[in-house]
């Protein structure tokens, strides 16, 4: 069954290694990265998009962001290290069509204030034996929407927050791409606030 190729917008605020992973694996995705948007002019991810001949925009105003997502006829919004809270009107319009990646096993080490190295510092301090990454649909709370998938990383005795961050980031890249692939094949569905995958 040939599915309509999904129009994808990727939102970033930083280096964009997750974005790069999506770009590098676009042949596996039944979708097209129409635009990369950042709330930070200096985000290196914008350069990655330009190098891949993908349209980029620097946007801080939420009304402008919504207009662009509508004008580009976006089917899927991917938050790949986007450190700004989306407004309710965007989340409501794109219900279960916004995927976020978080560098922990939600519900651990997530929510307000848990971003970047802070996540991994908390995991090391707590002494967890496993951490990892989570993809989830975005709702109106931080890192709280229905979980799509997770992948784990063993925390070793000699791990630091930095080494753990590096190990998890590698897992994030494949986890996010696979979640996008599943979404674009219309395999994902939400029941009782849980995400399931059609075989
Ligand atoms: C990743 O760790 C992601 O989980 C978090 O922000 C970081 C973005 O890294 N939301 P990058 O910009 O994709 O390299």
């Amino acid at each position: 069954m040939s599915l309509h190729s999904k129009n994808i917008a990727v939102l970033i605020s930083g280096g964009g290694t997750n974005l790069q992973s999506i770009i590098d694996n676009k042949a596996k995705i039944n979708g097209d990265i129409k635009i990369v948007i950042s709330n930070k002019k200096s985000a290196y991810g914008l350069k990655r998009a330009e190098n891949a001949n993908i349209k980029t925009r620097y946007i801080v105003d939420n009304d402008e962001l919504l207009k662009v997502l509508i004008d580009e006829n976006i089917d899927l919004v991917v938050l790949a290290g986007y450190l700004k809270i989306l407004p309710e009107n965007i989340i409501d319009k794109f219900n279960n069509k916004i995927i976020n990646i978080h560098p922990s096993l939600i519900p651990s080490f997530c929510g307000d204030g848990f971003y970047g190295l802070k996540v991994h510092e908390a995991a090391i301090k707590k002494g967890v034996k496993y951490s990892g990454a989570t993809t989830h649909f975005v709702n109106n709370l931080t890192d709280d929407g229905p979980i799509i998938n997770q992948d784990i990383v063993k925390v070793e005795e000699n791990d630091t927050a930095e080494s753990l961050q590096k190990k998890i980031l590698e897992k994030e890249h494949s986890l996010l791409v696979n979640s996008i692939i599943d979404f674009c094949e219309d395999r994902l569905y939400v029941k009782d606030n849980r995400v399931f995958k059609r075989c």
Side-chain angles (χ1 to χ4, degrees):
M1 180 177 72
S2 68
L3 294 162
H4 150 67
S5 170
K6 301 274 194 287
N7 293 326
I8 302 168
V10 182
L11 276 50
I12 59 162
S13 298
T17 65
N18 275 289
L19 166 65
Q20 190 64 56
S21 177
I22 300 166
I23 292 169
D24 294 346
N25 288 280
K26 65 182 179 183
K28 301 175 191 169
I29 299 169
N30 183 31
D32 177 34
I33 307 171
K34 300 290 285 184
I35 190 166
V36 171
I37 298 168
S38 182
N39 63 316
K40 300 282 183 194
K41 251 185 196 165
S42 60
Y44 185 68
L46 291 173
K47 184 77 182 141
R48 293 180 190 272
E50 286 158 18
N51 291 343
N53 299 314
I54 297 169
K55 187 190 298 184
T56 61
R57 286 288 300 276
Y58 162 64
I59 299 177
V60 286
D61 178 78
N62 285 325
D63 291 338
E64 186 182 353
L65 175 59
L66 177 59
K67 184 178 182 313
V68 168
L69 295 176
I70 293 168
D71 291 352
E72 293 288 342
N73 196 24
I74 296 301
D75 301 300
L76 171 64
V77 179
V78 178
L79 308 185
Y82 187 67
L83 295 180
K84 196 166 180 280
I85 299 298
L86 288 176
E88 282 197 26
N89 63 328
I90 291 181
I91 292 170
D92 293 345
K93 178 157 184 62
F94 291 91
N95 183 41
N96 292 332
K97 295 179 178 178
I98 305 173
I99 293 177
N100 183 46
I101 177 113
H102 183 77
S104 77
L105 297 175
I106 289 175
S108 297
F109 315 120
C110 67
D112 295 339
F114 282 103
Y115 58 88
L117 212 52
K118 296 173 192 283
V119 175
H120 311 291
E121 288 167 347
I124 293 288
K125 183 177 179 189
K126 187 59 186 172
V128 294
K129 302 312 167 192
Y130 290 89
S131 189
T134 302
T135 51
H136 64 94
F137 286 124
V138 171
N139 65 12
N140 288 307
L141 299 174
T142 306
D143 302 329
D144 181 68
I147 291 172
I148 297 169
N149 204 353
Q150 298 184 298
D151 201 353
I152 64 169
V153 166
K154 179 94 171 70
V155 183
E156 306 292 353
E157 183 176 352
N158 61 352
D159 264 317
T160 62
E162 289 79 4
S163 65
L164 183 57
Q165 180 178 47
K166 188 171 181 300
K167 287 197 293 189
I168 290 175
L169 197 53
E170 285 167 27
K171 290 279 190 173
E172 287 179 51
H173 296 158
S174 52
L175 181 69
L176 182 56
V177 167
N178 289 332
S179 295
I180 294 169
I181 288 169
D182 287 340
F183 179 93
C184 291
E185 299 290 346
D186 289 332
R187 288 196 200 119
L188 301 178
Y189 64 96
V190 180
K191 190 171 79 173
D192 303 330
N193 209 39
R194 292 168 67 198
V195 182
F196 297 96
K197 179 172 157 181
R198 297 181 185 88
C199 299

